[in-house]
């Protein structure tokens, strides 16, 4: 077409060509199926590679075998160990070494952000996420959008601004002390199934920006998303050697970590695994496993419709897989006189499998959830508010869960009997101020309009109060998680005239 | 005396009274002896307490039993566990809770700094340090001085400035995200013998400033210093309940940590213990075990006298107990043609036990050091430059070491053969820039006048490249070691007019 | 006394000697009188000097001639011009020049703060302030206390922390860009009568900390306070040459500024003079002339007693000379149904000349104030709430004002008619949020407990929205007012191998 | 075309359509000529408008009348005055008002940066710049590139990060003090001819980011560039009402400023006009009129070719219109023994009008330059090194200058005689360190590879030592130039139990 000949730039060409297909992609999100399964490869030492050992992922909506993952077993980790070990502990770049790489990542981020802003590309990733981590289109698109905005935050010079140092005048002419942000060098990133794009991209780019060489492992059930995203990043200029990507079971990954000995491992996932990793890696970890676990409605009743909607979204969007299963809604008795609970029920009833506003639960089976509900209902005074039954007319495979949105009422005085709950319940009836000042719940959302899903994309998300705690989503999080302080004292001052050797001390 | 009646202020009265004696002190530094032994107590839940179990410390200069330490054994830890557990995980204060405590610590710091600036007080601590950790008067005084300057840094409003938060505009009217520095709550501090005052005070005050409740354990050989310093702090307004102080062996302390489960433990000491603690405490640690391990003299020969003096001070001050035993001086061959080595020898010869410019080594015996020297001398080409012999005419008890300042020459090519030394030797011949950019040695000192002992007291001192690494000495160190990030999103914006419940997602 | 011989330190000696007298002081605050007048000298080029031209200040409480001020006239400014011109425009110190001076100021601050913490010293300054700027003991002591806390904030290393720079990695090996805080060099400070100690000390020390050479002019009516304070600072180590101090009329000062051409002039005072100075000095000024001009009581009535007390203090403490004469209290009609106004009247009635809770007004005569009240009372609907009469039984000289605390009620609808008041009145009935977001009133105090006189001493005080606006009281204020940004790009990178001269561009 | 139908997004459509033409542009850069003159309009209150009064700009290369500028005269300023006055002094947005606008500007920046990254767009602006401010393609492209990178720096959340506030704990429960960056509201920007795109875009966007409403005036000779750039910004989402754009002579602009009374005026240009504006606007200005005026070659001779090339570029690129006419090269005598000067001559000889590596001088005529050279040559010992003659075979109109690259040698001792040059010459022979510490030359470039034209695009550029000094190019510059500090003290703490009215003070 003549129109394209006018332009000499490869990049524009690439963009316009997207109208047809995505040059980086190796799959088509909606056509992955039993008969045309997608393949997830590994990336090490700059090369994509398959495996003799293919793991099969089943479609969470119908049980079909639809993705083949090239799994690395313990015999195959050597190239990954070598790749990681080849990175010196002062990193691939730092404020004194290869500063041009800070600029390179500014350019990669600008290009990748622009790619994700293209409707065809964002649609591709949104649908791919939906295939492996079923949630509504809007929820899946939210991941893509936040990822795009994150990349926009680190265009141009903003990556090198992350490496901003400071200096303080010294004691005498020629002396200054400087503080730098230094990379760890070889690092590992392990991320879970619930946010297949957002969590790995944000942590991966953070690690790269600061000068680290990461090996990335994403839950195999959803790793197809990052397989494709890495290809997009390569397309935008990321050198193939800069990131290794591995699919394996936990045992193999553990072995890799022990042999390659990364100087830092970022783990996002269950606290059980987190605690084990902390021991195995002797504390050289940053952990992110917390979120927003409860909501408190104080004595002032107002904006009932709005509050009901926020409660419904925060509890059931993504089938509750953003929050942990034991999420709580503390409600002052004034609210019980309102129609809030009936409104909550109505909103829950709107959710349906067809548009994935409710969908499969990837880590808990239907039976386990029913059992948990029954135990709760044994508590005196408790009752089922709504839900409590399996989804109907579905083909979700039995290894996954399939439940209607459910709420169980438990009287506060019963909760108060429970071990450890005294503190919690003592806190909740205080006024706002007190609650903030006397808690340590990581990220908190205060105010009438406060929502987890309506917060600015740039806020720090992560636990507070854990010395190993990681954060995600902001320049501060990148700097604290992915770099450490290094101090250099310069002392180029002249030796004073007539200096003489002083006595020993 | 009429002169004192003129003043109503208790503080001034106190100061003037120092002319006679120190109101906080329970010992007199120079009179501690076999016949008048000092006693070190424990402090828990606001009360000083002895023990049924007294440990004896011998005078490092003559072997006399001169200090009795009330040791807590495993049966005695319960009060400490309870005291620590009583501190909520949101701390004793935080930006929302008890902000007046930030000001209280500003006042305590001002008063304590002023106390340490009084000659009588600084002399007391200098001599007390000398008694338990023998070093020259000037070196011991250096500890007191740096501690004073540190306290001066956090007078007035400067403690609350450590708790400075930041805010970013949100997405809509009424929304803002804020980042705060949050305390850990209950914490532990374990510090070594070589800096009996500076290390514990700097870490202790950092922990307190940010709102934590610390239990402090100092190596029993030197804990008399902090016993006295805590009394000074109480005298300056520190509430008795704010810090617990324990004397115990490592096993007991380990048990205490496992039972009380502090949310963070700061350990300064040997890397062997550090690694064990990291595992036992599942990574909830910050470790400081690094320093300045080698010095590099490049090809330019200049300022020979000055360089020799810096080398002598950095190697032998405090009998080498600032640096680790394997300290290295890399010397370009150009220097071997100079009189540097002979000058080094002359300077070492000036050191004598009488003024403690050389003194007992508290953790290695004379025999061990001789054995180490002999092993080094077996390396082909190595030779003894000077020293290599035990001190003479001394009464240092045999459990401690007593060696003359010693240097052994080892050819670089032999070092290069050694395991792990390849990287080190590859780095050292680059020009300055390269060395900085390609290393990760924690605090570094660059330039002709660069000295560990001549750096500004306010520089960050600590390892780089370790995810668990702690720092000491600066506002940044306090904030990173003793607090964590906490994010709060405020959303008090109005619900938009005509808002309607949107579809589920 | 033998007790003092024990101590060798001069400083402690000094402190204890304070019991008798203040070594720096040349006057005794309470004994200044007609018969024993105090003398205020000038300081230039390191020497205190009198003048052939003595100006007389009368006691605001009884009209006695009690202070003689050595005034410099136009013929005497040459030494000041020379002194200022001798300071290079890169300052007395900066991050590269004489960094030891940052430490020196840390020490001066620590010593001066300690001095002001001594009861005898703080009492001296409190009473001296009362003599020249009559206010209650507590209000005058407040100045001394805030000054002490300010000095405490800049002990130890905190002065050099003000000169903290930042660095950003450059484009290639060896390149970095750095931003520094640079002094202006020669500067001038002009401060008013109402805070004779706090305003000049805070601005003076800020100027010095950053490396400037200031000439200071304080309103002659109160300059005795800074005359004495400078002597205290010299006593604490301030070099005599570092600050010049001048007493003169405005015309002479203007001439000095035009001849010496300071690179920046800080002016605190009336906006009329401020505007003239801005023109004369071609904008090389920072101005501080704003404060808290109105208080808004919204529709919620609560804590009546507390609110009444805050209103009384904010309006009448220091005889209203903290705020400007046209101070307004906007009151929602809900408050008019309460006893607030009668409570205000009761509180105003408590104020009496004896303890200076009401006192002379130094810049407006009684007649002028009565005339202003009468004009207000001509507005339809306005009425005198209380006061409105001269003080009785006093000996305040007629050049000063002497009024009872006074309040005039004016209906809002009348205010709204007035030119320029439309915007103000439009703002006030909005909810809190709107008020903050739609105003630019400099420092603002929000919330039920908000008070000007109860705010933390470390807050920034100054106008917002003026490009020439100065602030006072915080590290940020010092950096923005007393230093400017300077950027240095370092580029010590190697020229690339095989570099060849490229084509011209 | 079917390919475009696939995409629903308007933006992608726009991009691809660029293949044909630029949707925002109203001119074609290379076809502007006598017969098809371009028109520059004014923009006020959201509408583009012509004028009854058209000014003609002649082509600097051939004297043709090629641009018609709609000039506003004194009778036409009313709409501009009204537009500016309609902006409240708290700005169009601030941290509490319309925060969604911070995000809007993040998006505008991302889109505009992407647009400028498109070859067709960057080529358009590069050539348009060349038409009005003749310089080589690479130099003109440099402007476009730096502008693109600047916009990349403020994508996503980075605009709101500019409005980052800070908070400090207060004295008691519920009290906090917060510092904000506040806009000025109505502001003016006046920029010169030499950088027709970079200077106005960077200052304009800075003003907008912080919440101001700017009126922009660019030198009419080059204002066609910003006329087109504003249309691009509108195309990327900038509301038409957010910026006013005026073409006028200086007298009219002065009248506008006095009538509209903007709260801040940014002026970049000659120091003569700057000083007048500072007086007229009573100091409510920020001025940028300085740059890199001299280069110092110290005693070490090395890298001759590289140094010669840097000197040539820094002196003659853009026909010297980056630097001021009196630029100096200080050269240690060691360099005079080298072939540096002959290399400089060779490099200057390469420059030719054909590719605009030398071109018209827009503010000085040929005669004026010849006269200046002759005066210099009258100084004893001075000599013409090369150049010194008018360009040949050109059609540059006589109102502009046309000179060959020229260098005149003047002995240092003669310079030293000159008034005011003593300080300068005293500085230059010190070693590097001293030079930095004892100067105040605004942005400085240190090191062998240091170049003005090779510095990172993100460095602060601007004068140091002027209280009115503006900077450009960094987040710090935006914050300091385009916003002011505002402090708010929150005090929502409870009134203490049993509070009673205290005595008056």
């Amino acid at each position: 077409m003549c129109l394209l000949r006018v332009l000499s730039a490869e990049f524009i060409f690439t963009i316009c060509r997207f109208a047809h297909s995505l040059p980086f992609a190796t799959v088509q999100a909606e056509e992955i199926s039993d008969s045309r399964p997608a393949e997830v490869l590994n990336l090490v030492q700059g090369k994509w590679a398959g495996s003799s050992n293919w793991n099969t992922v089943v479609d969470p909506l119908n049980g079909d075998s639809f993705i083949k993952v090239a799994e690395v077993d313990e015999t195959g980790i050597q190239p990954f160990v070598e790749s990681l070990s080849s990175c010196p502990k002062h990193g691939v770049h730092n404020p004194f070494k290869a500063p041009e790489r800070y600029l390179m990542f500014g350019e990669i981020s600008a290009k990748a952000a622009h790619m994700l802003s293209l409707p065809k590309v964002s649609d591709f990733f949104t649908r791919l996420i939906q295939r492996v981590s079923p949630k509504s289109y809007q929820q899946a698109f939210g991941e893509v959008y936040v990822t795009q905005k994150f990349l926009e935050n680190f265009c141009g010079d903003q990556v090198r601004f992350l490496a901003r140092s400071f200096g303080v005048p010294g004691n005498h002419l020629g002396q200054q002390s400087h503080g730098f942000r230094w990379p760890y060098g070889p690092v590992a990133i392990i991320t879970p199934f619930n946010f297949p794009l957002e969590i790995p991209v944000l942590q991966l780019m953070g690690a790269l920006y600061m000068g680290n060489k990461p090996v990335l492992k994403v839950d195999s059930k959803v790793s197809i998303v990052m397989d494709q995203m890495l290809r997009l990043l390569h397309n935008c200029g990321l050198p193939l050697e800069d990131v290794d990507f591995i699919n394996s079971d936990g045992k193999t990954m553990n072995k890799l970590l022990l042999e390659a000995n990364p100087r830092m491992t970022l783990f996002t996932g269950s606290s059980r695994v987190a605690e084990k990793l902390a021991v195995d890696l002797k504390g050289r970890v940053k952990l992110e496993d917390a979120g927003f676990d409860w909501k408190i409605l104080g004595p002032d009743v107002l904006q009932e419709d709005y509050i009901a909607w926020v409660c419904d979204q925060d509890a059931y969007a993504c089938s509750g897989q953003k929050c942990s299963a034991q999420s709580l809604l503390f409600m002052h008795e004034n609210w019980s006189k309102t129609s809030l609970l009936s409104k909550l029920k109505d909103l829950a009833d709107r959710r349906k499998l067809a548009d994935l506003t409710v969908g499969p639960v990837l880590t808990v089976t239907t039976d386990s959830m029913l059992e948990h509900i029954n135990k709760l209902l044994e508590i005196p005074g408790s009752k089922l508010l709504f839900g409590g039954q399996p989804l109907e007319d579905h083909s979700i495979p039995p290894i996954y869960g399939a439940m209607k949105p459910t709420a169980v009422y438990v009287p506060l005085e019963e909760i108060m009997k429970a071990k450890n709950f005294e503190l919690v319940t003592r806190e909740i009836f205080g006024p706002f101020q007190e609650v903030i000042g006397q808690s340590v719940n990581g990220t908190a959302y205060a105010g009438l309009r406060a929502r987890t899903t309506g917060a600015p994309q740039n806020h720090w998300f992560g636990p507070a109060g854990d010395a190993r705690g990681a954060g995600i989503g902001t320049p501060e999080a990148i700097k604290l998680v992915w770099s450490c302080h290094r101090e250099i004292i310069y002392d180029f001052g002249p030796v004073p005239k007539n200096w003489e050797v002083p006595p020993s001390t």
Side-chain angles (χ1 to χ4, degrees), chain A residues 47 61 97 140 237 269 320 383 440:
Chain A
K47 295 206 181 65
L61 290 181
K97 180 188 178 184
K383 59 186 172 191
V440 60

Side-chain angles (χ1 to χ4, degrees), chain A residues 289-300:
Chain A
D289 61 350
F292 182 62
D293 278 342
W294 61 69
K295 194 187 304 297
I296 300 170
L297 299 180
D300 295 334

